């Protein structure tokens, strides 16, 4: 069976929503987040939950994948409730959202559990998500209140 690795490019808000849906519940160490002002780049290495397989797989076949996320054309970065020195702290990514300012620039916000966030000031949306290697079995499937089958959304 082929190992279907994702490689997605986001150039607008709708693309970024798709990237966000694939990254929901990804876990990342603070030490695996980096903003490089001289390259106008923000990058992260995350362990994403494989939602596309979870919809069709048996409960014991849930998996995670090592994934790279990169934003280019980043003018600045602000952090909230994060200390870069706490490099071993593990965060769970809830969503990636875009807020337009003066088109095409705006702010991309990565929202994590525990009220932590990273806000990137971008010239425009230019992002890439790339799976880096094979998948491994996840210990559990992330749960969201009210999201069980048959629950109202």
């Amino acid at each position: 069976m082929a190992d279907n690795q994702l490689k997605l490019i986001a150039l607008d808000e709708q693309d970024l929503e798709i990237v966000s849906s694939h990254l929901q519940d990804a876990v990342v160490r603070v030490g695996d987040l980096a903003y490089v002002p001289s390259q106008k780049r923000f990058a992260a290495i995350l362990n994403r939950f494989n939602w596309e397989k979870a919809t069709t797989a048996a409960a014991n076949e849930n998996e995670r994948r090592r994934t790279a996320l990169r934003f280019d054309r980043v003018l600045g970065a602000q952090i909230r409730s994060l200390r870069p020195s706490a490099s071993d702290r593990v965060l769970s990514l809830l969503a990636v959202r875009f807020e337009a300012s003066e088109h095409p620039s705006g702010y991309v916000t990565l929202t994590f559990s525990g009220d932590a966030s990273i806000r990137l000031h971008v010239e425009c949306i230019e992002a890439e998500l790339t799976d880096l290697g094979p998948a491994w079995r996840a210990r559990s499937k992330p749960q969201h209140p009210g999201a069980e089958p048959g629950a109202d959304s």
Side-chain angles (χ1 to χ4, degrees), residues 12-29:
D12 62 26
E13 194 169 352
Q14 291 78 25
D15 294 345
L16 195 60
E17 288 174 7
I18 293 168
V19 168
S20 179
S21 69
H22 284 285
L23 289 174
Q24 181 179 355
D25 300 308
V27 291
V28 59
R29 286 179 46 249

Side-chain angles (χ1 to χ4, degrees), residues 9-11 35-36 39-43 69-75 108 120-128:
I9 303 286
L11 300 174
Y35 171 52
V36 184
Q39 295 180 14
K40 295 185 175 181
R41 176 172 287 165
F42 173 84
L69 175 64
R70 185 188 82 228
F71 285 92
D72 288 320
R73 299 180 181 233
V74 179
L75 303 172
V108 171
L120 307 174
H121 183 201
V122 296
E123 292 177 19
C124 61
I125 296 173
E126 190 172 310
E128 180 179 359

Side-chain angles (χ1 to χ4, degrees), residues 2 12 19 23 26-27 33 39 46 65 68 72 83-84 88 94 97 100-101 110-111 135-136 144 146-147 150:
D12 62 26
V19 168
L23 289 174
V27 291
L33 302 167
Q39 295 180 14
L46 311 99
R65 291 182 168 273
D72 288 320
R83 281 190 340 220
D88 286 335
L94 302 176
R97 302 235 190 303
S101 58
L110 289 82
T111 304
W136 65 91
H144 299 276

